[in-house]
Amino acid sequence: RKEVEQDPGPFNVPEGATVAFNCTYSNSASQSFFWYRQDCRKEPKLLMSVYSSGNEDGRFTAQLNRASQYISLLIRDSKLSDSATYLCVVNSEGTYKYIFGTGTRLKVLA
Amino acid sequence: NAGVTQTPKFQVLKTGQSMTLQCAQDMNHEYMSWYRQDPGMGLRLIHYSVGAGITDQGEVPNGYNVSRSTTEDFPLRLLSAAPSQTSVYFCASSPQGILGTQYFGPGTRLLVL
């Protein structure tokens, strides 16, 4: 089993829709969690960190469920510019190693 | 600030050749790392460093060497290039090793023939 797993998608949604992605992780000792965004042929960029109590940044909401070992990302009112690949990142075993998921591709359609 | 810079942007090598991928950051970050990204595999950690003079192996270190003589620079050396090393290589830095966020360079696309 991969340490971090994501549905590769693509998720094709119309503009204005709400879409959610999940990411599961296998190591219960994982300490920190992030969502990164990667545009085609570009470097990953931090979208948001994921806090235990959940957090929101504008149209984006991140949640952490430690009991079930997954994190989620909810995007409300999708924009064409949200089209990208969303990478789930987990800090491995409380070390300096970050483990990336393979990403979920989102396409927002006009 | 230039952030994280990588050179070259593109490189074609023949099997057996060696080369160094350069990475530099001007944010005084202690933590730096190298990843490779392959289709369907996501980003995989090659080597990382938590400060000048300190390096450690990641998930896929074989065939690569690193050194960290200064806080700013973290070069990645391919000792004897193989076609399996064809990939996109990203360098990243972070102000905090465990809880910090990472800033990525634009990447180096490497093709090994």
Side-chain angles (χ1 to χ4, degrees):
Chain A
R1 180 185 174 188
K2 289 184 180 178
E3 193 161 347
V4 177
E5 294 198 73
Q6 295 183 253
D7 182 339
F11 285 60
N12 296 321
V13 302
E15 268 188 297
T18 295
V19 62
F21 314 131
N22 281 346
C23 166
T24 59
Y25 61 95
S26 61
N27 190 338
S28 59
S30 298
Q31 288 189 333
S32 52
F33 309 88
F34 307 89
W35 283 103
Y36 278 72
R37 171 194 169 126
Q38 186 174 27
D39 293 298
C40 188
R41 301 178 73 83
K42 297 288 189 180
E43 72 272 22
K45 292 184 179 179
L46 177 70
L47 179 65
M48 57 197 304
S49 302
V50 185
Y51 302 122
S52 297
S53 57
N55 48 299
E56 189 173 305
D57 183 1
R59 298 181 292 109
F60 299 85
T61 300
Q63 296 280 353
L64 168 63
N65 186 317
R66 286 194 183 273
S68 300
Q69 295 185 200
Y70 74 87
I71 66 172
S72 63
L73 177 67
L74 180 78
I75 305 175
R76 290 182 298 277
D77 189 22
S78 298
K79 312 290 185 190
L80 293 175
S81 57
D82 293 334
S83 296
T85 297
Y86 291 84
L87 306 173
C88 167
V89 184
V90 175
N91 170 242
S92 174
E93 300 180 15
T95 70
Y96 291 100
K97 297 180 181 179
Y98 294 85
I99 305 298
F100 281 72
T102 54
T104 296
R105 189 173 171 203
L106 171 66
K107 297 177 72 173
V108 180
L109 308 172
Chain B
N1 286 352
V4 181
T5 58
Q6 292 184 238
T7 57
K9 290 185 179 180
F10 305 97
Q11 184 70 47
V12 179
L13 291 178
K14 294 181 179 179
T15 296
Q17 286 185 315
S18 62
M19 79 160 294
T20 299
L21 279 63
Q22 301 292 343
C23 174
Q25 52 92 8
D26 61 359
M27 298 175 282
N28 202 32
H29 288 171
E30 291 297 319
Y31 178 88
M32 295 186 74
S33 54
W34 276 102
Y35 295 88
R36 59 177 291 173
Q37 186 173 33
D38 304 292
M41 300 291 290
L43 279 84
R44 291 182 291 169
L45 183 64
I46 304 172
H47 285 285
Y48 66 97
S49 168
V50 299
I54 306 169
T55 64
D56 205 347
Q57 295 182 349
E59 184 182 356
V60 287
N62 292 341
Y64 308 94
N65 275 356
V66 292
S67 60
R68 184 94 180 271
S69 56
T70 67
T71 298
E72 294 77 22
D73 300 299
F74 191 43
L76 178 73
R77 282 183 288 279
L78 278 69
L79 309 173
S80 177
S84 60
Q85 293 180 304
T86 293
S87 188
V88 180
Y89 291 85
F90 289 105
C91 177
S93 74
S94 171
Q96 297 167 303
I98 292 179
L99 299 179
T101 59
Q102 296 187 80
Y103 298 85
F104 283 82
T108 294
R109 296 181 181 277
L110 177 67
L111 173 63
V112 183
L113 302 174

